[in-house]
Amino acid sequence: MTKTEAHFRDYSSTTSKVAKLYEQNHRLQTLAHVLSVKEAMAQRAGKLHTIWEVLNLLDSLVDESDPDTEHSQTVHALQSAEAARRDGQPRWMQLACLIHDLGKILCLYGYEQWTVVGDTFPVGCAFSPKIVHAQYFSQNPDTADPVLSTKYGIYKPNCGFMNVHMSYGHDEFIYQVVKDFLPFEASYVLRFHSFYPWHRDGQYEFLMDDTDKKMKELVLAFNQYDLYSKAEEVVDINVVKDYYQGLIDEFFGKDRRVLF
C-alpha cells in the first residue's frame, strides 16, 4: 500500500531497532564527541572513489534510523534524484538528491550508525524537546552542563548554522567531501538535510542568520524528494545511469575520483 505524506516519519510505532539507534545517538552525541570526530576527520587520509563506486559500496547498507524504507541507499538515491528530475529541478538539485546520503560510507569505515544516520541537531546548547525520541537526552551528560544545557549554550543569537556544531553524521561528512565542487546552495542543502528539528518543526530559529533564512526554502524543496520518493517504484539504474554520469562529470569533472 502506498503511503500518504502523513504516514512518513511516524515514530510512534517504530521498531525497537529504530528506538535503540536514537537512544544511542541521544546519549552519546555530545559536544566533546562531535569535536573529537571532526578532529579525526581532518587528520584522516581518506580514500579516492568515483561517485558510482560509493553508491555501489552502499548498496548493502540499510539505514537503521529510517522507519520509511528497507531499500538500499542506492535505490533511495535514484528515487530521490529521479523525482527531482521529473519536476524540472536545477541540475545541482538533482545531483544533490543523488549523492545526499553518500556520507553513510562512514559505516563502512567502522563508525557505528548512531553517529552516521538519523536526524541531526545542534550540540553545545540545549536539546529541543521536538527532536525525535527526545526523552533519551536525559542520559546525555551535556544536559547537566551549566553552559551546554542553556538555550544559547556556547553560541550567540543569530550566529548562523554554518557556525554551529551539529550532531556528527553523514550530512557533515558529505558536505566536507563536496563543498569545493558544488554550488553553495547544494553543499548547504547536503549539510543540513537531516536537520528536521529546524526545517520541519521550526526549532533553533534563534540561531539562524540571513543565509539560513534564505536557504530554508531550498532545504524544504530538497526534503520532498528525500522523504516522499521512498514510496515510489525502484528505478532501473541501467536506464538512467548515463544521464547521472553526465551530471557527475559536469560538477566533479570527467572520471574524477573524489576523496571520501
Side-chain angles (χ1 to χ4, degrees):
M1 182 177 65
T2 301
K3 282 188 174 186
T4 64
E5 291 188 8
H7 289 91
F8 283 90
R9 289 181 55 82
D10 179 7
Y11 290 91
S12 63
S13 58
T14 52
T15 66
S16 58
K17 179 176 67 175
V18 173
K20 180 179 179 182
L21 184 286
Y22 275 105
E23 185 279 325
Q24 291 178 296
N25 175 283
H26 293 354
R27 173 166 50 88
L28 299 171
Q29 285 275 12
T30 62
L31 176 62
H33 167 72
V34 170
L35 295 177
S36 176
V37 178
K38 283 186 172 182
E39 182 178 1
M41 289 298 158
Q43 296 176 357
R44 64 186 287 276
K47 298 179 181 179
L48 289 170
H49 292 290
T50 67
I51 298 300
W52 285 115
E53 283 174 347
V54 180
L55 281 167
N56 290 334
L57 284 170
L58 292 177
D59 208 26
S60 62
L61 180 68
V62 174
D63 184 336
E64 294 179 358
S65 72
D66 193 339
D68 296 317
T69 185
E70 292 293 328
H71 286 313
S72 72
Q73 297 303 298
T74 304
V75 168
H76 171 52
L78 289 171
Q79 287 175 324
S80 300
E82 280 292 276
R85 180 185 177 190
R86 284 195 303 271
D87 281 355
Q89 288 289 349
R91 289 171 69 79
W92 68 258
M93 177 71 83
Q94 297 173 40
L95 181 62
C97 287
L98 182 71
I99 68 173
H100 71 279
D101 280 342
L102 295 193
K104 293 177 184 179
I105 196 174
L106 286 169
C107 292
L108 307 184
Y109 291 165
Y111 284 85
E112 295 185 53
Q113 287 211 18
W114 64 263
T115 191
V116 178
V117 302
D119 292 3
T120 58
F121 46 85
V123 295
C125 62
F127 301 115
S128 167
K130 292 285 190 178
I131 298 171
V132 169
H133 288 305
Q135 69 272 21
Y136 294 129
F137 284 117
S138 63
Q139 304 173 62
N140 187 305
D142 286 0
T143 61
D145 186 281
V147 174
L148 305 184
S149 61
T150 61
K151 177 178 179 178
Y152 291 103
I154 62 174
Y155 308 113
K156 294 187 181 300
N158 308 116
C159 62
F161 293 139
M162 296 295 284
N163 298 306
V164 170
H165 295 293
M166 302 295 293
S167 55
Y168 198 86
H170 68 283
D171 297 44
E172 178 66 21
F173 184 84
I174 193 60
Y175 166 77
Q176 295 295 340
V177 168
V178 306
K179 64 181 181 180
D180 294 331
F181 297 99
L182 305 187
F184 174 75
E185 291 87 350
S187 59
Y188 183 99
V189 165
L190 291 172
R191 193 176 204 180
F192 298 109
H193 74 270
S194 299
F195 189 9
Y196 279 90
W198 167 53
H199 63 72
R200 179 184 173 105
D201 296 317
Q203 302 297 290
Y204 298 104
E205 291 187 345
F206 53 86
L207 297 177
M208 292 171 62
D209 63 9
D210 289 341
T211 296
D212 302 314
K213 294 174 184 177
K214 180 180 178 181
M215 290 295 112
K216 186 175 184 180
E217 182 178 349
L218 294 177
V219 177
L220 289 172
F222 167 87
N223 179 249
Q224 65 182 319
Y225 304 116
D226 179 15
L227 185 58
Y228 303 129
S229 66
K230 294 173 184 177
E232 298 180 4
E233 294 183 1
V234 173
V235 179
D236 185 345
I237 190 172
N238 295 313
V239 174
V240 301
K241 186 171 183 179
D242 286 347
Y243 176 81
Y244 289 107
Q245 186 62 60
L247 271 184
I248 293 166
D249 291 346
E250 177 182 338
F251 289 95
F252 289 98
K254 188 172 177 58
D255 301 324
R256 180 185 290 273
R257 302 176 76 82
V258 182
L259 194 64
F260 278 84

